[in-house]
Structures are given as structure tokens and as C-alpha cells.
Amino acid sequence: MPAPTPRRPTAADLAAASERTVPPVIAPGLRVLFCGINPGLYTAWTGHHFARPGNRFWPALHRSGLTPRQLAPAEQDELLALGLGVTNVVERASATAAELSPAELRAGGERLVSEVENYRPQWLAVLGITAYRTAFGLPRATIGPQEQQVGATRVWVLPNPSGLNAHYTPAQLADRFSDLRAAVEGSASH
């Protein structure tokens, strides 16, 4: 018997999700802590990071070789065994990241720094250049490795994996994730 098709959220479900947060999937000493901008309403409704159909985070993670298979959002806790985790710059859900104010992003950046200092991942990978620039006050930052560190944690900026980000094809996005994987593996051998 085939698995039942999950129900789609109603407009009321999504409106109610704006009051929710999605807890981080985090543990001390991870290889990489991925950091989204903030949960979308669909993600908040499901309670799983990058859950909206069309989000390219999970496929890019797998295509880059960081996971042995493509995980579903509901399997997010399996990341920990791989030395990976997920959090967000801003905890509150919104329909789009454009709804976030610069002040919210800066406050989220401060909270993220505390989280990173507490858990000490080897790498922090922020998913979204514009949010990174605002949250960390670095208007000239570019995609890729950053000079700035958070304590001993190195920082890498990846493109936003949202399906709305037309600047990167799925293959290009996976290539950027692969660049990070190579850096992570290179730093592990030293």
C-alpha cells in the first residue's frame, strides 16, 4: 500500500505558522552548522528546516557529497550523526525573508554569534549573501569563504537555496556546496 500523501497546509495553517519557530538541529563540535535566513511559513508549519517543496537545500547537500543520500526535511535530525546541523539567523517565520528588517537581521546575527561560540562548529555556512551582509555588517562580503571568523569557527557564505533564487541553477548551487565540502575535508586533514 503506498504511503499516504501528506496534506497540504491551508491558508489558516500558514497564517498560524507565523507564530512558530523551528528549533535548531545542533550539537557541540559539528563539522558544519548551516544557517538559513529564517523559516518560511511552510517550514514553520511542518517544524522541519527547508521543508517547502522546491527548496534546494536537501538536494544540494546530497549532490555535494555532504550526505550519503538525499534526506527529507523530516529526517533533519540525521544530520547530527554526519557532523552537520541547521539553525537560522532570525527565528521567527515569515512568508518571505524580505519581511525581515535590518534590525531583526542584526539582532539575529548577534544571537547566531552566541550560538556559534557556545557550540563551536568547525564551519558556519550562512545561506544567503544579502542576509549575511546585513546581519554581520559586512556590505562587501561575497559568496565563499570569509575572512571573518566567529571565535575559532570559520565562516562560509552559500547562496540562498530557496527555489525563488533564480541566480543559481540546482547544479550551480550543488557546486557551491561542493566547494564548502572540499574546504571542510581539507581542514580536517590538517
Side-chain angles (χ1 to χ4, degrees):
M1 195 161 135
T5 304
R7 100 174 159 83
R8 299 181 137 238
T10 64
D13 290 334
L14 293 177
S18 68
E19 302 299 319
R20 296 189 190 144
T21 60
V22 180
V25 176
I26 195 167
L30 296 171
R31 292 184 310 143
V32 182
L33 176 61
F34 290 95
C35 182
I37 300 168
N38 76 309
L41 297 178
Y42 189 97
T43 287
W45 176 72
T46 67
H48 304 296
H49 292 273
F50 302 105
R52 183 169 195 76
N55 190 294
R56 300 168 305 167
F57 175 77
W58 299 104
L61 202 60
H62 172 61
R63 288 178 70 180
S64 71
L66 283 160
T67 59
R69 64 178 178 84
Q70 185 172 320
L71 299 174
E75 298 174 300
Q76 66 186 13
D77 291 339
E78 292 184 30
L79 290 172
L80 295 175
L82 300 169
L84 308 174
V86 187
T87 192
N88 287 294
V89 175
V90 174
E91 294 177 316
R92 85 168 174 96
S94 65
T96 70
E99 295 176 25
L100 304 175
S101 71
E104 266 183 298
L105 287 165
R106 285 189 298 274
E110 291 172 13
R111 186 195 55 74
L112 178 60
V113 165
S114 294
E115 193 171 54
V116 169
E117 288 173 342
N118 184 41
Y119 286 97
R120 298 182 181 160
Q122 293 170 18
W123 289 89
L124 169 66
V126 180
L127 300 155
I129 186 65
T130 303
Y132 176 78
R133 288 172 175 161
T134 303
F136 287 89
L138 298 166
R140 291 188 176 88
T142 59
I143 296 290
Q146 306 300 302
E147 288 184 25
Q148 177 195 15
Q149 292 191 177
V150 178
T153 299
R154 288 161 285 193
V155 179
W156 194 286
V157 178
L158 289 166
N160 182 340
S162 167
L164 299 175
N165 183 358
H167 297 293
Y168 287 86
T169 65
Q172 291 168 325
L173 188 62
D175 287 346
R176 298 298 72 78
F177 275 65
S178 293
D179 295 340
L180 170 62
R181 189 201 80 228
V184 170
E185 290 174 356
S187 64
S189 64
H190 292 162

